[in-house]
Amino acid sequence: MTEAVFQAPKRRAKVYESFEAPLPVLLSAQDEDHIIYRAEIISHQVLVTDPAHTLTLYERGYFGKGVFSRSRPEHVISRQWKYIGDRCLPVISSSEYQKRLRWARAALRMQGLEDESVNHALQILTKPVEFDIKEEESRERVKSQAERVGGSSDDVSCETDVNLDQTDPARSQRQGNPAYDPLADLHPEEPERLDPLSRPSVKCRRHDDWVAHCGCRADEPQRRSPEPIVPSTDPSDACEYVLVSEEEDDGDSTEDNVAMEQLGKCVCRINPFPMMEYLQLSYEEAFFLVYALGCLSIYYSGEALSVAQVWTMFRSLQPNFSTSYAAYHYFRSKGWVPKSGIKYGTDLMLYRKGPPFYHASYSVVVERSDVCFRGASLRTFSWRTLAALSRTTGNVSKELMLCYVITPSDLTEDMLSSPECVKRFTVQEVLVSRWVSSRERTEQEDV
């Protein structure tokens, strides 16, 4: 084992996001620009339900994850949208609509309703909805918009086809660009690889993105175009009604591959089971926002909790919370973005700047000890389990780190009941490297 020496992080080959400044630290109570975000404890989970707070907390520090997504909270009901009058509604397949009906039926039955009442309620929900607007008015509005930007009505469409899995080279090659690469200024030897013909400063009116990201052509009408036609961000407008494609499913189709020519054969219906994606915070992330940054207020049963109450509740829900939070606070203060390492059998994964920009550099196992490195460990390691964990970490191009949270000998349980005990902890990192006989023999022969 050797003392930890932090290595340069490995950049991702494809970057699709721009780097936002992290959340500011509250310097005074009179700071008018400081925003207090809100989270709620629901079923022992810390959830941020406000969409504006969700995006800000994730983009400015990469706190939490979407409850329906792997990381960024980007779940949407559909990738296809269409205007009906002044409403921009999602287009889903018939099979997706039937699935939501089954969810609504199960939810009503869980409330103790009889089958007759459930069937009556669903029968009302499934009736087609007709808006008091003519389709010709929508077409004329699209045609007038196309004439204003100097194109035809075929060039400007009300539908927005968002494909998040595009691998266009102009969209993916942004490594080294200071606008998207946080460490580009520190590595000037890496040239910018953006396509010069993509013109990233041009807005795409169909995808509400830069043309370098979506792959559209940067033609002259787009540069003079007005505000792009995009779905409404109001959850009630986006999910109250849906357009159900009445085409027969072939068994392999999903809501994301509804053909554009089929969008005109849709029926507007009430969404029987609307779902909104929330941001789920770990206990360590939530308490860091409350205690260290002072920008989050946590509510439980409608009442705001104090810092001491949050600390007490998290300790009761997670016995080793004081140790895990000390490690999380330490790495956050060093500029790393710690995320859960349960995928690789560890406690934390350390990212430089954030997961969209760099691969995780270290897999961290948090341990607790006294000043003499004694005491009951949080997990039992044998040589076999340690070798297996080291091999697993090496196979994914990361380094295994043991993070020892050292507690003073005079620390009592009464001291642990207050978050101020974190100030008395010290942290020591140790890197675990695996000795490979063949590699060692090759290095000796070279010498």
Side-chain angles (χ1 to χ4, degrees), residues 248-262:
E248 293 293 334
D249 296 333
D250 56 2
D252 298 329
S253 62
T254 62
E255 58 173 314
D256 294 340
N257 57 14
V258 179
M260 294 300 293
E261 59 269 18
Q262 297 178 358

Side-chain angles (χ1 to χ4, degrees), residues 24-274:
V25 179
L26 181 61
L27 299 178
S28 63
Q30 291 76 24
D31 191 354
E32 299 180 355
D33 297 333
H34 194 76
I35 301 176
I36 303 298
Y37 304 97
R38 174 169 177 159
E40 298 181 7
I41 298 180
I42 303 175
S43 299
H44 296 176
Q45 303 294 327
V46 183
L47 301 177
V48 181
T49 58
D50 192 315
H53 295 181
T54 293
L55 293 177
T56 304
L57 288 177
Y58 184 84
E59 293 177 352
R60 301 186 65 181
Y62 299 96
F63 294 94
K65 67 174 293 295
V67 293
F68 297 140
S69 306
R70 297 181 59 184
S71 182
R72 169 178 286 274
E74 57 186 6
H75 172 79
V76 290
I77 185 175
S78 176
R79 299 296 195 272
Q80 306 281 350
W81 296 75
K82 181 181 179 182
Y83 265 114
I84 300 296
D86 58 348
R87 295 173 178 263
C88 192
L89 303 179
V91 180
I92 65 175
S93 63
S94 178
S95 60
E96 176 67 19
Y97 185 76
Q98 293 299 325
K99 180 172 65 175
R100 291 177 175 267
L101 279 178
R102 293 193 296 269
W103 293 343
R105 183 184 300 274
L108 293 175
R109 286 178 175 176
M110 290 178 62
Q111 299 177 10
L113 298 179
E114 298 180 354
D115 291 343
E116 183 178 356
S117 300
V118 172
N119 294 334
H120 179 69
L122 294 181
Q123 185 178 5
I124 297 177
L125 287 176
T126 55
K127 289 183 179 181
V129 178
E130 295 183 0
F131 296 109
D132 187 16
I133 188 169
K134 297 181 181 179
E135 186 177 358
E136 290 76 8
E137 295 178 4
S138 178
R139 293 180 179 177
E140 289 296 330
R141 182 169 59 87
V142 176
K143 184 177 180 180
S144 62
Q145 288 183 356
E147 292 175 352
R148 285 200 304 268
V149 299
S152 62
S153 59
D154 297 334
D155 298 331
V156 183
S157 174
C158 288
E159 296 86 8
T160 302
D161 185 12
V162 182
N163 185 359
L164 298 179
D165 296 330
Q166 284 182 330
T167 57
D168 184 77
R171 181 183 179 186
S172 61
Q173 302 299 333
R174 295 192 278 170
Q175 179 175 327
N177 184 1
Y180 302 95
D181 193 341
L183 296 186
D185 296 336
L186 302 180
H187 300 274
E189 68 277 2
E190 298 186 12
E192 180 180 350
R193 293 187 292 178
L194 258 174
D195 186 0
L197 300 179
S198 62
R199 295 185 181 182
S201 60
V202 179
K203 267 281 193 177
C204 174
R205 70 183 318 277
R206 291 192 60 197
H207 300 94
D208 189 28
D209 204 347
W210 303 114
V211 294
H213 307 175
C214 65
C216 296
R217 297 183 59 185
D219 49 9
E220 194 67 24
Q222 282 186 339
R223 284 197 290 273
R224 301 198 310 265
S225 62
E227 291 295 325
I229 302 176
V230 295
S232 173
T233 57
D234 189 353
S236 61
D237 294 339
C239 300
E240 182 179 1
Y241 300 100
V242 293
L243 295 177
V244 183
S245 175
E246 300 296 337
E247 297 292 330
E248 293 293 334
D249 296 333
D250 56 2
D252 298 329
S253 62
T254 62
E255 58 173 314
D256 294 340
N257 57 14
V258 179
M260 294 300 293
E261 59 269 18
Q262 297 178 358
L263 293 180
K265 303 176 182 179
C266 297
V267 178
C268 182
R269 300 182 186 275
I270 298 176
N271 185 6
F273 197 86

